[in-house]
Amino acid sequence: MSPAPLPFSPPYVGRLAPSPTGWLHLGHARTFWEAHRRARAAGGRLLLRHDDLDRDRCRAEFIAAAEEDLRWLGLGWDGAPLVQTTRRPRHRAALERLHAAGLLFPCTRTRRDVLEASSAPHESEPDDEPVYPPAFRPPEGTATPPLEERITVNWRFRVPDGRELRFLDGAAGPQAAVAGRDFGDFLVWRKDDTPSYQLACAVDDAELGVTEVVRGEDLLRSTLRQLLLLEALGAPAPQYRHLPLVRDEHGTRLAKRHDALALRTLRGQGADPAGLRAGFAAELGERPE
Ligand code: GLU
């Protein structure tokens, strides 16, 4: 008997999503090497998306530098690079749909208010946003104000309290968290009229047809938020593969120190890209090319 036809599975689309807030370092390089390897092994496409939402910290020179560093490392991508802020109308359209569905509320509390009143973020993810105190939510029955043309207040997504969310991560294994306990109502749009990372990332991954997201495990908790947004928007969720973070000899995450292990520093010191790639392959359990 011939085997049953496989259900339709869309062609693999992966993405590299650096934030142009600094030089790429060894941690980015290893994640991007894995994203590149997965896309090539699947015969798929790999997009390059510059996540430039943070107006204060992003600089054009880091966009150019990231492309140069990726090329030096031998990691190519398909098609023209995308710049996230150019997708703003799509982000705004998603915001309006979430608002129309009654899933958002405006929040005038400061970051400090939230920090002081909330339970501490998960210990293993000290950078994660604190759990938003339910007492700060507008009382039941309060009418939601309309969205301003130019937004001047923070908008948050109201999470379904007590709901357990699960997904199977391709690298980190089964993941579970309870909404309202492990993470709370999160920002979707900021009062400086910019979309939040969670909203922009979920919308872009879905609309660009990304089938697998490869990134660092510091974003595991963000994935749960993004899954809620995708569900609310009726968009398909990609597969996820969260990799352990690269740490230096003191156990410090490399993201904290862009200097010493920046790819351009290593390049200036004569590092060999093939050697770096072989090192990543050895660490991530694959045979070198
Ligand atoms: N641009 C984000 C960062 O550099 C990564 C986003 C992602 O991979 O979802 O932290």
Side-chain angles (χ1 to χ4, degrees), residues 64 66-77 81:
E67 294 182 8
E68 189 182 288
D69 290 348
L70 287 168
R71 284 199 196 93
W72 171 74
L73 195 58
L75 305 184
W77 57 90

Side-chain angles (χ1 to χ4, degrees), residues 12-18 24 28-29 31-41 43-50 66-82 263 273 277 289:
Y12 187 103
V13 181
R15 56 27 162 220
L16 309 175
L24 294 188
H28 298 112
T31 304
F32 294 161
W33 177 87
E34 175 72 349
H36 183 268
R37 185 188 71 77
R38 299 274 306 165
R40 294 294 172 257
R45 301 182 67 226
L46 185 65
L47 310 176
L48 173 59
R49 186 184 80 208
H50 295 289
E67 294 182 8
E68 189 182 288
D69 290 348
L70 287 168
R71 284 199 196 93
W72 171 74
L73 195 58
L75 305 184
W77 57 90
D78 300 302
L82 292 149
L263 293 183
R277 292 197 303 267
E289 303 133 65

